[in-house]
């Protein structure tokens, strides 16, 4: 049993944590989230506050000690004296926006229900999972709010979402609906957030909770490069291996907001959900609205433990399909090899050469369709350019098949070029506002996926290629954000619903495609990591992590990504040198060591390599084929931070703890640095391990105690790295 509900007390237990709520004077209060507590009477946790100023409204006449402003609410309404950031705001039929939510009822549901039209986690047979549903009600407006808590006991994760139900007798407008609110009774925490831009995603920042509001989010119509939809709260002393850490991660790909508020009573409130800026949803009598899901996890053993819990949950209960638990094919992408300048012979030559080096799949990136010789035309015209591929996809497929290489294709199905046959035929299909300019980015517009006819077109465009059975992999790109967020198909009173309806449309397309073509590997991309989120991972098990393929820049990008996302979802490629974005000159070994993630490949033209370089490509492919399943399923440990030191280091340990791969990379050259040693984690301390490159034998306790010496600057200079592979004897 993971849920107990009795006498207005609700306790949720995972393997190592507890989450507790109490009902008092009709309101649902949050009183505890932290280390696991045995089931019992928790009524003493609901503390009274014996004094408030007259500026804190009293909800009961003559009782100055009961005000919502100073109480930790589980889900906060608007307009009844809780002046903190609310969980929900609704415009009632009379124009008021008061939502006064009181406890109504509860239900315990075996397993976990699906979310209507939204990506979400799922249960499998044998899971210790059940769902608590608590219903709150505004007794005057007759608005019901159903709070769902799905408990994945063995994963140490609770998932939450909110369903708003209108029984008011009229139409209301939801102006704000957070997926989750968590109130803490103090401010003794740090916030760990992330920031970035194109090719600089998910850099980390940390600072103390302060009075006032700290928020991250996106108004871009996508989760974005700028911030990623996760937020962490931790004790001041928390580090990778110790301390209390709380995480909230949204399963959504659109505009969102996460808010950390330090209140005047020294509480901390966390909110996460759809960004209320520009959002509204008209809800008629009898209708419901479902918020996106959010994954909550707590660790008393530091940040890396929290990451491990998220990694297992996302990989095993959010990602789906045949590739979930296995290594992905070794791929080579044509983009950095030839950009738009290729033909069938060139691609076949790359594929044949790559296959001889152990590569298993060639991805034909941008430029194979319409009249696409640059980024100014043809998006939406998903027909083969016969000037480049005179024998169509079939001709290229057959030539690659002879080499033993499979075929993948790049698509950007959500976009439309003004210079295209599709735009000439359907200029109203793009996102736009009549009478206003249509803002271009990368010379393209966005298709209106809030419309079913447009969604059907997008599905057919991709499905028509996949039905041939020749394409094994799709790279799904999204290279701009949304301006003029409106649909000509929506009535004016529903205009604020557009951005959310866009994602409901997109998710419906992805759901159809991934179910109809279960053998195809889909890779998510948005100019790299601009839509690296759990919403997309529910359909596509991996994401092109960043358009910046430089090994040095990738250290911070992949470190920040790994806070929440498992190695299996992170795509890393060895690119050509000098790097085409940064011009950094790095060794093949460094590029390989950084790129060797759960999804591995190359971004280069193998036909231009020397024989020595080809041997290195072959070595990288063989290494991934041997250890790829371990990288996908293993435990990932961050050992040294590129945000804090002049290096980065990490290791991955197999589930059976019989194999470990550790990497250290120095960033800048330093004169006379202190001797370095790398201390590993996650091994069997009683076992002995052989390092396969040197043949030396170490005990697990040695590797996790003293560690392994790192070569000095004379042997390993700037941008240089070292990999160790340990196998249990």
């Amino acid at each position: 049993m993971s849920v107990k509900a009795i006498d207005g007390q609700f306790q949720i237990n995972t393997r190592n944590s507890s989450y507790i709520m109490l009902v008092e004077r009709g309101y649902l209060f949050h009183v505890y989230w932290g280390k696991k507590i045995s089931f019992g009477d928790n009524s003493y946790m609901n503390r009274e506050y014996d004094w408030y100023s007259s500026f804190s409204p009293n909800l009961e006449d003559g009782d100055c000690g009961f005000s919502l402003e100073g109480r930790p609410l589980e889900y906060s309404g608007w307009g009844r004296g809780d002046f903190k950031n609310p969980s929900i705001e609704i415009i009632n039929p009379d124009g008021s926006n008061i939502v006064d939510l009181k406890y109504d009822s509860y239900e315990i549901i075996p397993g976990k229900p699906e979310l209507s039209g939204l990506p979400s986690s799922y249960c499998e047979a044998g899971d210790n999972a059940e769902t608590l549903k608590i219903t709150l009600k505004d007794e005057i407006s007759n608005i019901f709010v159903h709070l769902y808590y799905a408990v994945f006991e063995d994963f140490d994760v609770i998932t939450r979402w909110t369903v708003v139900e209108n029984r008011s007798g009229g139409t209301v407008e939801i102006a704000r609906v957070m997926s989750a609110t968590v109130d803490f009774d103090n401010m003794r925490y740090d916030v760990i957030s992330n920031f970035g831009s194109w090719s600089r995603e998910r850099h980390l920042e940390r600072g103390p909770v302060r009075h006032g509001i700290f928020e991250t989010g996106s108004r871009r119509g996508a989760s974005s490069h700028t911030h990623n939809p996760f937020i962490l709260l931790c004790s001041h002393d928390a580090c990778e291996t110790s301390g209390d850490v709380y995480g909230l991660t949204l399963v959504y790909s659109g505009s969102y907001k996460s808010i950390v508020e330090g209140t005047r009573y020294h509480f901390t409130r966390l909110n996460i959900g759809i960004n209320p800026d520009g959002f509204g949803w008209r809800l008629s009598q009898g209708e419901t609205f479902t918020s996106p899901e959010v994954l909550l996890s707590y660790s008393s053993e530091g940040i890396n433990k929290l990451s491990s819990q998220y990694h297992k949950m996302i990989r095993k209960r959010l990602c789906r399909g045949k590739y979930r638990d296995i290594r992905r094919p070794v791929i080579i992408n044509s983009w950095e090899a030839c950009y738009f300048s290729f033909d069938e012979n060139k691609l076949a030559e790359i594929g044949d050469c790559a296959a001889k080096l152990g590569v298993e799949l060639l991805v034909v990136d941008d430029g194979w369709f319409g009249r696409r010789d640059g980024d100014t035309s043809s998006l939406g015209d998903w027909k083969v350019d016969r000037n480049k591929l005179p024998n169509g996809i079939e001709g290229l497929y057959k030539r690659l098949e002879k080499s033993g290489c499979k075929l993948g294709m790049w698509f950007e199905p959500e976009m439309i070029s003004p210079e295209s046959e599709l735009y000439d035929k359907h200029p109203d299909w793009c996102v736009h506002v009549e009478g206003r300019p249509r803002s271009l980015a990368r010379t393209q517009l966005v298709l209106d996926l809030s419309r079913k006819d447009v969604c059907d077109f997008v599905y057919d465009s991709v499905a028509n290629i996949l039905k041939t059975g020749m394409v094994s992999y799709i790279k799904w790109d999204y290279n701009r954000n949304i301006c003029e967020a409106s649909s000509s198909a929506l009535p004016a009173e529903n205009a604020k619903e557009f951005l959310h309806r866009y994602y409901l449309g997109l998710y419906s397309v992805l759901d159809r495609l991934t179910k109809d073509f279960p053998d195809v590997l889909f890779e998510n991309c948005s100019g790299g990591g601009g839509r690296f989120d759990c919403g997309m991972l529910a359909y596509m098990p991996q994401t092109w992590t960043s358009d910046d393929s430089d090994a040095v820049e990738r250290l911070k990008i992949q470190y920040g990504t790994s806070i929440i996302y498992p190695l299996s979802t992170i795509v890393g490629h060895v690119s050509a040198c000098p790097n085409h974005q940064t011009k950094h000159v790095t060794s093949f070994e460094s590029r390989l060591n950084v790129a060797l993630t759960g999804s591995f490949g190359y971004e280069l033209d193998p036909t231009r390599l020397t024989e020595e370089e080809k041997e290195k490509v072959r070595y990288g492919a063989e290494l991934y084929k041997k250890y790829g399943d371990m990288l996908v399923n293993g435990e990932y440990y961050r050992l040294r931070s590129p945000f804090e030191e002049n290096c980065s280091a990490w290791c991955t340990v197999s589930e059976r703890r019989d194999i470990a791969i550790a990497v250290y990379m120095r960033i800048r050259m330093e004169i006379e640095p202190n001797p370095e040693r790398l201390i590993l984690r996650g091994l069997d301390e009683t076992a002995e391990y052989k390092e396969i490159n040197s043949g030396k034998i170490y005990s697990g306790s040695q590797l996790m105690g003293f560690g392994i010496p790192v070569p000095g600057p004379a042997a390993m200079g700037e941008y240089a790295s070292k990999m160790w592979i340990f196998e249990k004897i």
Side-chain angles (χ1 to χ4, degrees):
M1 181 177 68
S2 55
V3 177
K4 180 182 178 182
I6 186 170
D7 297 331
Q9 300 182 34
F10 300 95
Q11 181 168 340
I12 298 169
N13 277 4
T14 69
R15 179 178 292 172
N16 295 298
S17 69
S18 293
Y19 189 103
I20 299 174
M21 299 163 280
L22 301 175
V23 177
E24 193 230 334
R25 306 197 199 194
Y27 289 93
L28 182 65
F29 294 112
H30 174 91
V31 295
Y32 181 78
W33 184 22
K35 290 182 181 179
K36 189 172 183 176
I37 295 174
S38 58
F39 289 117
D41 182 1
N42 298 314
S43 58
Y44 79 97
M45 297 181 184
N46 198 11
R47 291 170 294 162
E48 291 283 353
Y49 297 85
D50 60 5
W51 182 87
Y52 293 99
S53 79
S54 60
F55 290 91
S56 296
N58 314 131
L59 295 190
E60 297 181 9
D61 290 342
D63 187 350
C64 296
F66 186 67
S67 172
L68 295 183
E69 184 178 19
R71 303 302 294 273
L73 283 163
E74 181 64 18
Y75 202 76
S76 168
W78 173 276
R80 283 283 285 160
D82 180 7
F83 297 110
K84 302 182 290 296
N85 252 278
S87 312
I88 188 168
E89 181 182 359
I90 290 177
I91 311 302
N92 298 301
D94 63 3
S96 69
N97 61 350
I98 296 173
V99 189
D100 187 22
L101 297 175
K102 294 187 176 181
Y103 172 76
D104 181 74
S105 61
Y106 80 92
E107 178 184 2
I108 298 175
I109 305 166
K112 178 184 182 291
E114 292 186 358
L115 275 67
S116 176
L118 288 165
S120 63
S121 57
Y122 58 91
C123 293
E124 288 191 347
D127 283 354
N128 292 320
E130 56 185 340
T131 301
L132 170 65
K133 174 186 174 184
I134 298 179
T135 297
L136 309 179
K137 176 185 179 182
D138 186 311
E139 297 172 343
I140 294 175
S141 67
N142 227 27
I143 296 294
F144 287 74
V145 175
H146 308 286
L147 306 179
Y148 287 84
Y149 305 78
V151 190
F152 290 80
E153 183 176 351
D154 295 336
F155 292 83
D156 269 322
V157 168
I158 301 167
T159 83
R160 288 183 59 178
W161 68 98
T162 302
V163 176
V164 182
E165 182 182 1
N166 180 13
R167 299 186 200 170
S168 69
T171 297
V172 301
E173 179 177 327
I174 303 172
R176 169 194 293 250
V177 55
M178 294 287 107
S179 294
T181 297
V182 183
D183 276 358
F184 297 83
D185 63 2
N186 65 83
M187 289 174 52
R188 297 186 295 274
Y189 300 105
D190 287 349
V191 181
I192 298 176
S193 60
N194 66 93
F195 72 97
S197 62
W198 173 78
S199 286
R200 189 169 50 84
E201 298 90 338
R202 289 171 297 286
H203 285 210
L204 298 178
E205 288 186 319
R206 177 171 178 170
V209 174
R210 300 183 184 278
H211 292 97
I213 293 172
F214 170 81
E215 65 179 49
T216 62
S218 169
R219 299 181 182 88
R220 296 172 172 270
S223 51
S224 85
H225 299 85
T226 309
H227 299 289
N228 194 269
F230 71 82
I231 195 82
L232 271 59
L233 205 66
C234 63
S235 55
H236 295 315
D237 62 349
C239 61
E240 285 291 323
T241 57
S242 65
D244 292 324
V245 191
Y246 305 84
L248 282 76
T249 304
L250 197 63
V251 185
Y252 193 58
S253 311
S255 298
Y256 79 96
K257 183 174 284 190
S258 56
I259 305 167
V260 182
E261 181 176 5
T263 77
R264 67 174 181 162
Y265 291 111
H266 317 301
F267 299 157
T268 302
R269 170 167 288 181
L270 264 63
N271 264 318
I272 192 167
I274 294 173
N275 196 325
D277 298 342
F279 168 80
W281 194 274
R282 287 175 61 81
L283 203 63
S284 299
Q285 161 65 22
E287 291 183 338
T288 61
F289 177 87
T290 302
S291 80
E293 184 177 37
V294 58
L295 312 181
L296 285 75
S297 193
Y298 162 78
S299 162
S300 63
E301 300 175 35
I303 302 167
N304 214 133
K305 180 66 173 178
L306 183 85
S307 296
S308 176
Q309 291 163 189
Y310 271 125
H311 291 180
K312 290 177 181 177
M313 179 68 187
I314 290 170
R315 182 172 61 79
K316 288 183 171 290
R317 293 299 179 268
L318 186 76
C319 295
R320 294 164 168 80
K322 65 179 287 185
Y323 293 97
R324 189 189 75 176
D325 300 321
I326 62 174
R327 78 158 179 89
R328 317 296 155 73
V330 181
I331 76 167
I332 191 163
N333 189 292
S334 70
W335 180 244
E336 292 188 30
C338 41
Y339 302 100
F340 294 102
S341 300
F342 59 80
D343 56 20
E344 181 184 301
N345 288 332
K346 177 61 178 174
L347 293 174
E349 183 183 3
I350 290 174
D352 181 61
C353 181
K356 292 175 182 177
L357 303 177
V359 172
E360 298 167 295
L361 188 148
L362 168 69
V363 180
V364 181
D365 211 299
D366 201 346
W368 59 268
F369 54 93
R371 300 183 303 279
R372 186 78 167 175
D373 297 319
D375 62 6
T376 61
S377 73
S378 303
L379 291 174
D381 299 341
W382 300 108
K383 297 177 182 178
V384 172
D385 180 354
R386 293 283 174 168
N387 293 316
K388 294 179 179 178
L389 302 176
N391 301 302
I393 292 175
E394 182 179 6
L396 178 60
Y397 168 77
K398 288 182 176 179
R399 293 181 68 174
L400 293 174
E401 190 177 34
K402 291 179 181 178
S403 302
C405 191
K406 294 183 178 181
L407 176 63
M409 306 294 290
W410 177 95
F411 273 88
E412 196 170 0
E414 300 166 66
M415 300 294 163
I416 180 172
S417 299
E419 186 181 327
S420 66
E421 294 178 9
L422 181 63
Y423 191 81
D424 290 342
K425 187 176 180 180
H426 295 290
D428 61 318
W429 276 14
C430 71
V431 177
H432 69 285
V433 175
E434 289 296 335
R436 291 190 177 274
R438 303 182 181 190
S439 299
L440 295 176
R442 202 173 183 254
T443 329
Q444 62 196 54
L445 297 163
V446 185
L447 284 171
D448 180 359
L449 294 190
S450 72
R451 297 175 53 153
K452 186 179 184 305
D453 53 352
V454 177
C455 288
D456 289 341
F457 168 81
V458 170
Y459 171 86
D460 290 339
S461 297
V462 180
N464 288 339
I465 300 293
L466 295 180
K467 285 174 183 176
T468 66
M470 297 180 225
V471 176
S472 305
Y473 164 107
I474 292 292
K475 181 178 180 180
W476 184 293
D477 215 340
Y478 175 91
N479 276 315
R480 65 156 293 178
N481 292 142
I482 295 175
C483 302
E484 295 90 44
S486 182
S487 171
S488 57
L490 281 176
E493 60 268 24
N494 298 99
K496 290 183 179 180
E497 300 173 8
F498 168 72
L499 284 175
H500 186 61
R501 288 190 180 276
Y502 180 96
Y503 278 94
L504 294 178
L506 173 62
Y507 293 145
S508 71
V509 172
L510 297 181
D511 187 61
R512 291 174 64 191
L513 283 170
T514 52
K515 287 179 178 175
D516 290 349
F517 303 99
D519 293 328
V520 174
L521 174 58
F522 286 84
E523 178 176 305
N524 169 43
C525 178
S526 174
R531 211 162 53 178
F532 198 135
D533 56 66
C534 288
M536 297 301 290
L537 290 175
Y539 305 101
M540 305 182 184
Q542 62 188 52
T543 297
W544 179 230
T545 312
S546 177
D547 275 351
D548 191 338
S549 56
D550 175 66
V552 181
E553 295 295 306
R554 274 292 187 110
L555 294 175
K556 289 183 176 180
I557 293 168
Q558 292 179 189
Y559 186 101
T561 302
S562 74
I563 295 292
I564 299 297
Y565 302 106
L567 208 59
S568 63
T569 67
I570 297 173
V571 180
H573 288 176
V574 176
S575 60
C577 186
N579 180 264
H580 84 142
Q581 288 109 349
T582 67
K583 309 306 179 188
H584 278 149
V585 176
T586 52
S587 68
F588 182 89
E589 288 74 16
S590 289
R591 286 175 277 148
L592 171 63
N593 293 347
V594 174
L596 200 68
T597 65
S599 300
F600 173 75
Y602 292 96
E603 292 275 343
L604 43 77
D605 183 350
T607 67
R608 298 180 181 179
L609 301 179
T610 66
E611 289 304 313
E612 181 182 2
E613 290 170 330
K614 288 179 180 178
E615 282 304 310
K616 291 179 178 179
V617 169
R618 180 182 287 109
Y619 170 74
E622 291 174 352
L623 195 65
Y624 181 67
K625 289 175 184 178
K626 183 175 182 179
Y627 295 108
D629 284 317
M630 187 275 280
L631 292 169
V632 166
N633 296 292
E635 192 94 359
Y636 186 71
Y637 297 90
R638 294 178 296 271
L639 305 178
R640 304 286 288 274
S641 170
F643 295 99
E644 299 172 0
E645 301 184 74
N646 185 34
C647 65
S648 186
W650 60 93
C651 69
T652 306
V653 182
S654 65
E655 291 179 296
R656 295 170 57 189
R657 297 194 293 170
D658 57 344
I659 301 172
I661 298 178
V663 175
Y664 174 97
M665 183 164 176
R666 181 173 289 119
I667 302 174
R668 298 177 306 278
M669 183 64 174
E670 291 181 333
I671 303 300
E672 298 181 355
N674 291 327
E676 289 269 29
R677 51 192 170 94
L678 188 62
I679 300 172
L680 275 60
R681 300 206 301 273
L683 303 177
D684 180 351
E685 64 179 14
T686 65
E688 289 189 325
Y689 292 86
K690 180 179 180 180
E691 203 287 304
I692 66 167
N693 294 309
S694 66
K696 293 181 179 179
I697 296 174
Y698 306 87
S699 69
S701 59
Q702 285 177 320
L703 294 171
M704 294 191 296
F706 179 84
I708 188 87
V710 174
M716 198 175 85
E718 191 167 65
Y719 303 156
S721 70
K722 173 75 174 176
M723 175 186 287
W724 299 266
I725 301 176
F726 300 96
E727 294 187 354
K728 184 187 286 188
I729 298 174

